[in-house]
Amino acid sequence: QDLYPAELGGWEKAVLKKEMERDGFKFWYRNPNRPSQDSLGIAYKSDDTRIVRPDFIFIAEADGEIVADLVDPHGFHFADALPKLQGLAHYAETHAEVYRRIEAVAKTGEKPRVLDLTRTDVRKGIMTAESAEALYRGALAGDY
């Protein structure tokens, strides 16, 4: 983290620290929050079509293979939180085989919670949910 500085908020730093402590961790990539060739953008519907850019891609070694984890820490208090989750769920539906993990992380009080978007039941729950907060506080989310 210190060798490759990036502009990160406190919440992003906490996610980065936790991910770097995972077994097999190798590298991390801070996905730029701008349209460019080096940025992963995922479409979602709000009033119109917009783009969410997940914050991190982590590279790890698991069982002798290199794997990628897509991790997006975001608050659920923004008006577009649920549409962004729905866009990520659609993306995970068609691209889950490319990643070991696709996760959305949010803080509920002091406790960070995670939605595992590689799970079919979680994706279905996201598509029918009334709010992102209810998802993170509910049974589909786990502790991060």
Side-chain angles (χ1 to χ4, degrees):
Q1 180 178 346
D2 295 331
L3 295 176
Y4 304 100
E7 291 183 30
L8 302 174
W11 177 223
E12 292 168 324
K13 287 179 184 177
V15 168
L16 180 59
K17 182 179 185 307
K18 179 163 180 92
E19 293 295 326
M20 290 174 69
E21 292 171 350
R22 288 187 186 270
D23 287 342
F25 169 82
K26 296 292 181 195
F27 310 98
W28 61 276
Y29 179 70
R30 174 63 166 96
N31 192 33
N33 193 19
R34 65 181 186 284
S36 65
Q37 288 184 333
D38 59 346
S39 178
L40 171 63
I42 298 170
Y44 72 95
K45 287 278 192 188
S46 190
D47 294 333
D48 55 0
T49 300
R50 297 182 178 212
I51 303 292
V52 59
R53 298 184 191 287
D55 285 349
F56 293 108
I57 300 171
F58 295 99
I59 306 300
E61 186 174 347
D63 299 323
E65 293 188 25
I66 299 298
V67 295
D69 299 324
L70 187 64
V71 180
D72 193 35
H74 275 296
F76 51 73
H77 54 281
F78 296 109
D80 63 353
L82 183 58
K84 284 180 177 179
L85 279 174
Q86 291 169 338
L88 288 170
H90 278 296
Y91 179 81
E93 183 104 30
T94 57
H95 295 89
E97 73 282 350
V98 176
Y99 301 93
R100 176 179 61 174
R101 295 170 31 236
I102 301 175
E103 296 180 343
V105 181
K107 278 177 117 178
T108 57
E110 290 302 309
K111 182 187 249 184
R113 301 277 287 167
V114 61
L115 293 166
D116 177 353
L117 295 153
T118 62
R119 288 178 34 196
T120 302
D121 63 328
V122 171
R123 291 193 307 267
K124 284 181 181 178
I126 288 170
M127 301 317 289
T128 60
E130 294 192 19
S131 77
E133 181 177 4
L135 287 164
Y136 285 108
R137 293 189 186 277
L140 291 176
D143 291 339
Y144 178 68

